[in-house]
Amino acid sequence: MIYNYNIGIGWASSGVEYAQSYRAKVLRNINKPAKFIFTDMFPRDNLIDMTRNIGFKDEEIIWLYTFFTDYSPEPVTYTLDDLKQSVTKPFTFDREGKTGRMVFRGNNNYFKIYFVNANQDFVHRVEMVSEGCLIRKDYFMSGRIFTEYYAPLDGKAHLYQRRFFNHDGSVAYEEIIDDDVVMYKFKDKLICSKEELIGYMTSKLSLTDQDIIIIDRATGQAQSILENAGAARVGVVIHADHFSEGATNDDNILWNNYYEYTFSMNRHIDFYITATEKQRTLLIEQFEKYLNVSPNVYTIPVGSLSKLRKPEAQRKKHSFITASRLATEKHVDWLVAAVVEAHKDVPDITLDIYGKGGAENDLRTQIEKLNATTYIRLMGQQDLREIYKKYEAYLSASTSEGFGLTLMEAIGSGLPIIGFDVRYGNQTFIDEGKNGYKLPYATGMERGRRQGKMVEAIKRLCLEDDMDAMSRYSYKKAEKYLASEVEKKWKDLVEMK
């Protein structure tokens, strides 16, 4: 079995979760069973809804908190009727969209009910309020999976305990909480930290030399995983730039804090995986120079293409696409500003922005202030596999990509790309002048110069005489990312002894 360790997941997931989702498909295709372990608490949404959303199978998911119960992660099927039948006191009920209220006699006594969606009666959680004070929250899948207990402290509801249940309602274990200090109480064991709980879970997997552990996120859990890995082989996936260039010199290197621990524990790591050959080469050189070791590092793309996608109709002229989490570090606002400037000379230019995230409202405001709503659109989160091919080119303003799944998907649909000349994705997917343009970039680069280079490249691409040649080059470059090629790399790695 291949156990893949992550921490959290959301509706607007990061590249790490999408990389895991791609890996799950690859491992299915080569008949290598895998589990994906999530160790975060998910108080607002049901885990399995979010894992299904990006393509995981339910049976592939392990959640730390249900691992010690007889529940497995599953969709919510507990209904409003189930809840009503469990209530013995008279109440009135009303509902608006995804929330409802059961109001009881007395002074400010009620249940606030959170439904999975606005159209069905499946209950994700219930907050219980007595005399205006939150005292308890129940969480459900097919039944109650855990309960949180609260007490008023300094005018706020203070969480002090969780109980996790089996299907028959018996308590599987408890979590005692005192601010950041937690303790887990089992019938035969007391565990004094969450990291120790993760280690306990790992020990219960009964790992052998036939198993593989892959650590996708190490923070707060890598040590306990390594201590309990037993005879299993352990690998670490490098999802981002692994060091700080500005703080590195001939004598010292500053590792990315997400990877520093697993790098220092290299003698316990059987292999590292980078997404690009450029990063693999650099990582090996740095390990040899600064740590005097030669680790096993393999290049395996974090994604793959099921096929090359060709347009059924003519691509829309001067149409650009970008896709990412709408987060400030993706600098989508730079693209908006550049396209608005290019629009002065290319009046039929368009930019469609796909994705969700915290920067969405700021982007909407920016587009409206620049009077660009007729040619720059926010398109939300969508499955883009059949969408890229409708556009003429792809834009990226990210200044750091460990790989860049959207870049891979873009060339798989024959799109040229404009992006900054930064490690590692743009340097991997863009060959200057052949399928796009790499723009100079340095930290602290003057804004006008940076934007000027972007505008110049956009206009240059719009005037390109042979876009078909650029498209053909992208298709050719994408061939090495076809699923069959990536599957072979994974097969070779997992079968290696």
Side-chain angles (χ1 to χ4, degrees), residues 147-406:
T147 290
E148 295 180 338
Y149 298 92
Y150 293 80
L153 181 67
D154 298 328
K156 297 180 180 179
H158 177 72
L159 173 64
Y160 65 89
Q161 185 179 20
R162 289 188 180 105
R163 283 183 179 148
F164 297 87
F165 300 99
N166 296 309
H167 279 91
D168 63 4
S170 62
V171 176
Y173 68 104
E174 296 178 278
E175 179 182 11
I176 312 301
I177 303 161
D178 185 5
D179 291 328
D180 293 332
V181 178
V182 296
M183 184 168 61
Y184 300 90
K185 182 181 177 184
F186 291 81
K187 291 178 181 178
D188 59 348
K189 194 174 186 69
L190 201 62
I191 292 176
C192 296
S193 71
K194 180 175 176 178
E195 186 160 9
E196 190 181 337
L197 184 72
I198 294 168
Y200 184 42
M201 177 188 68
T202 304
S203 72
K204 290 292 186 180
L205 296 174
S206 302
L207 300 165
T208 72
D209 60 3
Q210 299 300 304
D211 297 307
I212 297 174
I213 287 174
I214 295 177
I215 301 174
D216 284 283
R217 293 193 193 273
T219 305
Q221 57 186 23
Q223 181 176 342
S224 62
I225 294 168
L226 291 178
E227 288 172 348
N228 293 280
R233 291 166 62 203
V234 179
V236 173
V237 182
I238 313 301
H239 288 282
D241 210 348
H242 60 270
F243 76 111
S244 173
E245 189 164 19
T248 296
N249 55 39
D250 280 342
D251 299 314
N252 297 288
I253 187 168
L254 180 63
W255 301 117
N256 182 326
N257 63 308
Y258 291 120
Y259 305 115
E260 183 175 15
Y261 178 79
T262 53
F263 288 173
S264 68
M265 292 291 109
N266 59 79
R267 65 189 180 278
H268 300 296
I269 306 298
D270 295 281
F271 58 88
Y272 298 90
I273 300 174
T274 62
T276 67
E277 188 62 26
K278 284 181 178 290
Q279 189 169 19
R280 174 183 178 272
T281 301
L282 181 58
L283 184 61
I284 290 173
E285 289 174 355
Q286 291 170 337
F287 262 79
E288 291 174 346
K289 179 175 181 176
Y290 297 104
L291 299 178
N292 197 31
V293 295
S294 298
N296 295 316
V297 186
Y298 300 94
T299 299
I300 305 180
V302 295
S304 63
L305 301 166
S306 59
K307 63 179 181 179
L308 302 182
R309 287 177 160 81
K310 306 290 180 74
E312 294 87 13
Q314 189 77 18
R315 299 178 194 266
K316 183 182 177 184
K317 192 174 182 182
H318 300 160
S319 60
F320 290 82
I321 176 178
T322 191
S324 67
R325 280 184 303 112
L326 301 185
T328 53
E329 67 268 21
K330 298 298 183 180
H331 306 302
V332 180
D333 57 321
W334 296 0
L335 299 179
V336 171
V339 169
V340 168
E341 187 64 26
H343 180 259
K344 296 174 183 176
D345 295 313
V346 188
D348 62 343
I349 193 172
T350 61
L351 171 64
D352 284 348
I353 300 166
Y354 291 86
K356 301 286 287 183
E360 184 173 356
N361 287 336
D362 288 343
L363 287 168
R364 182 173 288 106
T365 299
Q366 180 190 17
I367 294 166
E368 290 171 354
K369 282 185 176 179
L370 292 171
N371 297 314
T373 55
T374 58
Y375 59 96
I376 301 179
R377 301 185 296 174
L378 292 169
M379 306 298 288
Q381 194 89 16
Q382 297 188 39
D383 183 341
L384 297 178
R385 284 174 294 183
E386 299 296 335
I387 291 178
Y388 289 100
K389 64 187 181 183
K390 299 176 182 179
Y391 294 87
E392 202 168 43
Y394 188 91
L395 291 180
S396 171
S398 178
T399 54
S400 176
E401 289 290 349
F403 181 70
L405 287 167
T406 57

Side-chain angles (χ1 to χ4, degrees), residues 25-32 487-488 490-491 494:
K25 294 183 181 75
V26 168
L27 295 175
R28 278 180 229 135
N29 289 343
I30 62 173
N31 297 313
K32 303 296 180 184
E487 286 166 10
K488 184 179 185 305
W490 272 109
K491 193 170 190 294
V494 299

Side-chain angles (χ1 to χ4, degrees), residues 419-438:
F420 293 113
D421 188 8
V422 292
R423 295 187 297 259
Y424 295 92
N426 289 349
Q427 294 177 345
T428 297
F429 291 107
I430 307 171
D431 288 345
E432 178 65 27
K434 296 180 178 178
N435 74 326
Y437 306 114
K438 289 181 287 189

